[in-house]
Amino acid sequence: MIPLLAAHDPSRFPDVRRALREPNGLLAAGGDLSPQRLAGAYRRGIFPWFGVGDPILWWSPDPRTVLVPDRIRISRSLRKRLRRRELGVTMDRDFGAVIRACAAPREPDGGTWIVPEMVAAYERLHRLGLAHSLEVWSGDPTGDRLVGGLYGVSIGRVFFGESMFSRSTDASKVALVHLCDRFRAWGLDLIDCQMHTEHLASLGAQTVQRRIFVDWLNRLCPLPGRVGSWDDGDIHFPPDRPIDASGASTGAVP
């Protein structure tokens, strides 16, 4: 049996070491999706994931997949696409469009885990300056067609990636390259990718033991981060190779 969270105590979670091995990382059920509970969950290495008609389920898998921004891997084909400057990236320009595109079923008869309650909860976090989106546009420099993007939660010097989508070849990869580029410039340290996929591994994501990941969170989440809107009013074309970091890094992530 997994613990049932009380709705009146949004700060309390079980120790992540109590998470099940099968299914990997299932820790608790119930509670709510209030900003306080979500922020507290991410700081502990916990995230919600559940389907239509299910109770809210909380997860902390072991191992954890992460990406260190200065270790992103850019393939030859992706490098060529970046050089052509076909896809421009904005930040926090249209969070609602990105999360709804991520929530759309990937198959004609498929479902989605980004249920309406999740959309509403992350839009609340976005209004509070904690959840952010990157939008990828195709077309003229004003960006006239949304073809990809990603969203997640930023706490301290960590970005907790939630989902990405792509309607054009490499669009979500371009968004991730830009996120790493911005994190290096801002001196931020870590992107949480949650679960291993070949797509993320091809970009340089690695798996670490949960205890190491939680230790990183304990160091990085209390540090000053990038609070508020990330929209700088511009559209960006990410470089075809990682830039040199100009921000101060904590050195907490080896």
Side-chain angles (χ1 to χ4, degrees), residues 20-64:
L20 299 181
R21 293 190 177 184
E22 185 59 41
N24 181 15
L26 181 57
L27 178 66
D32 57 30
L33 296 174
S34 66
Q36 182 181 359
R37 191 184 297 273
L38 284 169
Y42 283 109
R43 290 188 181 99
R44 294 170 172 85
I46 303 166
F47 59 87
W49 184 29
F50 60 99
V52 176
D54 293 335
I56 299 172
L57 300 176
W58 301 91
W59 303 77
S60 184
D62 189 15
R64 194 71 165 235

Side-chain angles (χ1 to χ4, degrees), residues 174-196:
V174 171
L176 194 57
V177 169
H178 184 66
L179 180 64
C180 289
D181 179 61
R182 289 295 85 205
F183 262 42
R184 287 172 58 84
W186 294 339
L188 306 184
D189 294 277
L190 188 67
I191 298 169
D192 170 34
C193 303
Q194 296 182 351
M195 305 292 287
H196 173 84

